[in-house]
Amino acid sequence: MLVSPSVEMLGKLVKHQIHNLFFIDEYEADAVLASLSAALENTEYCFSFSKNKYYKKNGCVFFSIYHSGQYCIFLYFLARQVISDFPALRDLADKIYFLNKALNGLDLYYEVVMPKVFNLDHPVGSVMGRADYGENFTFSQLCTVGNNKGVFPEIGENVQMFSGAKILGRCKIGDDVIISANSYIKDENVPSNSLVFGSSPSLVIKPRKG
């Protein structure tokens, strides 16, 4: 993967940003660098499936540390890698999570298990809760996935949430589902290969063509 301007600069940037917002000690700084390589491997795998033109350059997977969407995904993987490599450094993982939230306006906690491949586009104002996410999940701005009475959704593969869409509670969303802008799904199931409009309990569900 091509990292612009460099992996070295990426490490310096993360440490500097954490230090400016929360403070980082020498041991935590070393832990960030130790977890960097594995986090980048996960980032590269995720980006390799993207159809977004900004994620490829000269035929290679491309990561610009100044592309907010790309950096957002990387910080999620980094926080998860830190807590995996250094379980005692929960405070550091929390700092990376809060850094992501501060910079990108996304609430995506490192204990939320996202699929290996997921996509986001302008994720400002989105909250991703502890649902069961299928591969190639995509969301945009102001999206919410959350619980109702402690029950979270189950989301299939290749599900797309457009801006302002919400999935809450005891929901089973099938594969290859498009959830239109501002749709609100609560405690309802959606079959595979569907287009979803409107709000529960009066959802409009149509089959996808093609």
Side-chain angles (χ1 to χ4, degrees):
M1 179 170 65
L2 301 174
V3 179
S4 177
S6 67
V7 173
E8 181 183 6
M9 182 62 72
L10 174 62
K12 290 179 179 179
L13 180 66
V14 174
K15 291 188 296 179
H16 181 73
Q17 289 174 333
I18 295 173
H19 182 78
N20 280 348
L21 284 178
F22 310 109
F23 183 75
I24 186 170
D25 63 30
E26 185 175 347
Y27 183 60
E28 289 176 323
D30 289 343
V32 166
L33 295 181
S35 297
L36 201 63
S37 179
L40 282 172
E41 288 180 8
N42 291 329
T43 301
E44 180 178 11
Y45 184 81
C46 181
F47 287 4
S48 69
F49 291 88
S50 177
K51 297 179 181 179
N52 189 316
K53 65 180 181 180
Y54 296 109
Y55 288 67
K56 298 287 194 309
K57 190 172 185 179
N58 299 326
C60 296
V61 178
F62 179 68
F63 172 25
S64 170
I65 67 178
Y66 304 122
H67 182 291
S68 63
Q70 295 177 353
Y71 194 55
C72 184
I73 293 172
F74 162 75
L75 287 176
Y76 165 77
F77 283 126
L78 180 61
R80 284 185 60 81
Q81 194 63 48
V82 164
I83 202 66
S84 175
D85 293 343
F86 303 92
L89 292 185
R90 179 167 291 272
D91 283 352
L92 176 58
D94 284 341
K95 291 173 186 178
I96 298 170
Y97 156 69
F98 282 121
L99 174 63
N100 204 359
K101 192 173 183 180
L103 291 176
N104 300 300
L106 171 64
D107 193 329
L108 178 55
Y109 197 48
Y110 55 84
E111 288 185 350
V112 174
V113 183
M114 298 300 288
K116 292 182 178 179
V117 177
F118 69 98
N119 311 281
L120 49 83
D121 189 22
H122 308 295
V124 176
S126 290
V127 180
M128 295 293 112
R130 299 172 187 254
D132 182 359
Y133 297 92
E135 290 295 331
N136 202 32
F137 173 70
T138 302
F139 65 94
S140 300
Q141 66 269 28
L142 301 174
C143 290
T144 301
V145 176
N147 77 89
N148 182 37
K149 299 179 181 178
V151 180
F152 284 89
E154 298 177 24
I155 300 173
E157 297 183 355
N158 305 311
V159 172
Q160 301 177 59
M161 296 180 71
F162 283 87
S163 61
K166 298 174 178 62
I167 309 172
L168 302 175
R170 194 181 298 277
C171 302
K172 288 189 177 181
I173 311 298
D175 299 336
D176 302 297
V177 171
I178 294 177
I179 302 169
S180 66
N182 300 314
S183 294
Y184 176 71
I185 305 172
K186 179 183 176 184
D187 296 331
E188 287 195 55
N189 296 337
V190 175
S192 296
N193 300 298
S194 296
L195 293 170
V196 181
F197 304 87
S199 300
S200 296
S202 302
L203 283 177
V204 177
I205 301 175
K206 297 182 179 181
R208 289 182 62 180
K209 296 181 180 179

